[in-house]
Amino acid sequence: MATNITFHAGSVDHSERAQLLGQKGATIWFTGLSASGKSTIACALEQHLLHLKKAAYRLDGDNIRFGLNKDLGFDEKSRNENIRRIGEVSKLFADSSLICCTAFISPYRQDRQVARDLHEKGGLHFIEVYVDAPLSVVEQRDPKGLYKKARAGEIKDFTGISAPYEAPEKPEIHIKTDEHDVAACVRIITEYLTTNEII
Ligand SMILES: Nc1ncnc2c1ncn2[C@@H]1O[C@H](COP(=O)(O)OP(=O)(O)O)[C@@H](O)[C@H]1O
Ligand SMILES: [Mg+2]
């Protein structure tokens, strides 16, 4: 823990920044099982928002583990730290007036709460999107062959098989990807953003 450090506040706060840039920041936090559709929907949403001339940027589980979090594994403590860092980074993006779409399994309720608290204490929007599909469906999809490997015992601590997934109790948005296609999922989220005057 560092000592002798002082937080340096800027001269422009996030609401003034939003006014000057004509865009509010927010974090759209996707959570769900592997292959539930987080990356696919986050990509499509990012693209849709950019076409609306809204600055949006996606932080994706797999990509972040190549860089920022390449020192972390998948045990519970590493997953906590993975999400803590993403919570901090997404908060910085939201504070900068960007719409940050994070796509991480983020299986623990407490970790998601930490990310939410960070945003809400800073007066920033945090929109939790539960990307929901039954295990039988995601296991059938298995785009990366990970469930097959997890069932064979080749991957340990695999969410839904050998590690827990704690579903959100009160997500802002709950989408069932076995019932809605990608375009419909993007529409549901965009409607939420419009109704809540984020875009
Ligand atoms: N409604 C839907 N939303 C998102 N993905 C879907 C949907 N229906 C089917 N899929 C498929 O499910 C898979 C989801 O993979 P991915 O987005 O990588 O999941 P995750 O990022 O949650 O691990 C993709 O192969 C995608 O084409
Ligand atoms: Mg993904």
Side-chain angles (χ1 to χ4, degrees):
M1 185 76 124
T3 51
N4 297 321
I5 52 168
T6 309
F7 189 81
H8 194 119
S11 52
V12 181
D13 70 12
H14 71 84
S15 45
E16 192 182 353
R17 186 186 302 274
Q19 205 166 28
L20 290 167
L21 292 174
Q23 178 177 327
K24 284 183 196 164
T27 290
I28 304 177
W29 188 283
F30 293 90
T31 172
L33 294 173
S34 180
S36 59
K38 301 178 298 298
S39 296
T40 304
I41 298 168
C43 267
L45 178 67
E46 180 190 35
Q47 199 177 22
H48 181 68
L49 290 171
L50 289 168
H51 278 100
L52 294 175
K53 302 275 182 260
K54 301 290 174 193
Y57 190 70
R58 184 174 53 92
L59 295 176
D60 197 289
D62 295 331
N63 305 351
I64 295 292
R65 280 181 179 276
F66 277 110
L68 179 67
N69 290 354
K70 68 178 172 193
D71 56 326
L72 300 177
F74 289 90
D75 58 282
E76 183 170 349
K77 232 174 129 198
S78 302
R79 286 184 192 251
N80 296 149
E81 177 59 11
N82 184 42
I83 297 308
R84 189 193 69 79
R85 290 185 200 170
I86 303 313
E88 292 282 1
V89 173
S90 60
K91 182 196 164 190
L92 293 174
F93 276 118
D95 190 44
S96 79
S97 258
L98 230 111
I99 297 174
C100 185
C101 307
T102 69
F104 297 82
I105 297 174
S106 44
Y108 298 111
R109 222 168 264 145
Q110 177 57 26
D111 291 348
R112 298 193 300 266
Q113 188 63 42
V114 168
R116 176 186 290 278
D117 289 346
L118 268 176
H119 285 75
E120 293 183 349
K121 275 191 195 121
L124 297 162
H125 294 285
F126 183 88
I127 301 145
E128 190 175 7
V129 181
Y130 178 24
V131 184
D132 185 12
L135 185 64
S136 55
V137 171
V138 295
E139 208 169 344
Q140 187 71 36
R141 289 181 186 160
D142 205 10
K144 300 177 205 156
L146 297 177
Y147 283 97
K148 203 163 167 233
K149 283 189 184 165
R151 287 285 186 201
E154 290 166 32
I155 308 176
K156 64 177 189 126
D157 300 327
F158 196 80
T159 304
I161 306 289
S162 46
Y165 178 75
E166 300 173 357
E169 283 165 340
K170 274 194 279 171
E172 276 73 10
I173 305 174
H174 182 168
I175 36 182
K176 299 190 176 183
T177 62
D178 58 330
E179 294 176 11
H180 301 289
D181 65 11
V182 180
C185 294
V186 169
R187 228 172 10 250
I188 292 167
I189 300 166
T190 309
E191 271 169 28
Y192 180 93
L193 297 177
T194 312
T195 306
N196 289 277
E197 296 179 350
I198 294 163
I199 57 170

